[in-house]
Amino acid sequence: LWCAGSFVAVWGTLVVFPRFQDSFAMRLLGWAKWALLPPGTTVVFLDPLEPLMTVMKVGFYAAALVTVPVILYHVYRFLSPALTWLGKPVIWGTHAVSAGLVGLGVWIALKWIIPATFTLFFRYGEAMGLVPQLAMTRFITVAGGMVLVFSLPFLLPVVMVAAVSMG
């Protein structure tokens, strides 16, 4: 219940505050367009609800990222009675390392992989004589998926070490 409540509170805060027309989620979307797309790329919306739904999706991703520590804490508290005296230090030791590795994967994806991918695909389309236009929801879906695809494999070494250490 605490996990769901904290997630909904953070999500609502990101989508509504400081003003609905200039919320934190809208600012994150603006930063993502600036940082990840080639200069001069036009981002369009194809139906009237798309801007609102995109801002809500960005708020959802950001709220999920912000509430991960609360969720992990509650998962640990749920599993801790079943862990042996050997398992508890391993779990705490892997938290910091896994957070650092996922952060490194996200940074690599945002800094190099996603901008290079959009640039490559836009140049490929322009070579065919097409004009690049990107729908807002497609942009967020592709960028969010690529962040997951390039950050989660960084957890594999941590999972393997934790599994071997706990037996």
Side-chain angles (χ1 to χ4, degrees):
L1 191 59
W2 278 101
C3 296
S6 63
F7 176 80
V8 169
V10 170
W11 185 35
T13 301
L14 290 171
V15 171
V16 175
F17 288 106
R19 287 190 332 247
F20 185 68
Q21 293 85 6
D22 186 31
S23 65
F24 294 123
M26 287 180 117
R27 293 175 188 180
L28 282 171
L29 180 62
W31 173 84
K33 289 189 312 187
W34 170 80
L36 302 177
L37 293 176
T41 302
T42 303
V43 178
V44 298
F45 63 95
L46 304 176
D47 68 64
L49 287 178
E50 190 171 7
L52 176 64
M53 296 307 291
T54 305
V55 168
M56 291 180 77
K57 187 182 281 191
V58 168
F60 181 86
Y61 289 152
L65 182 67
V66 169
T67 57
V68 162
V70 174
I71 294 167
L72 289 178
Y73 172 74
H74 285 284
V75 167
Y76 172 76
R77 295 291 295 175
F78 177 74
L79 294 176
S80 65
L83 294 174
T84 63
W85 63 272
L86 191 65
K88 290 181 182 181
V90 171
I91 295 294
W92 282 113
T94 58
H95 275 1
V97 174
S98 62
L101 287 175
V102 168
L104 178 66
V106 168
W107 182 74
I108 288 172
L110 292 176
K111 183 71 174 165
W112 290 303
I113 305 293
I114 296 173
T117 302
F118 279 121
T119 302
L120 173 77
F121 288 141
F122 285 165
R123 286 185 184 163
Y124 183 75
E126 290 170 347
M128 295 173 53
L130 303 173
V131 177
Q133 287 188 338
L134 185 62
M136 292 173 71
T137 54
R138 296 286 184 180
F139 166 61
I140 293 302
T141 301
V142 169
M146 290 180 74
V147 164
L148 281 177
V149 165
F150 286 101
S151 64
L152 291 182
F154 280 81
L155 283 179
L156 186 60
V158 176
V159 170
M160 296 303 290
V161 167
V164 168
S165 297
M166 288 194 295

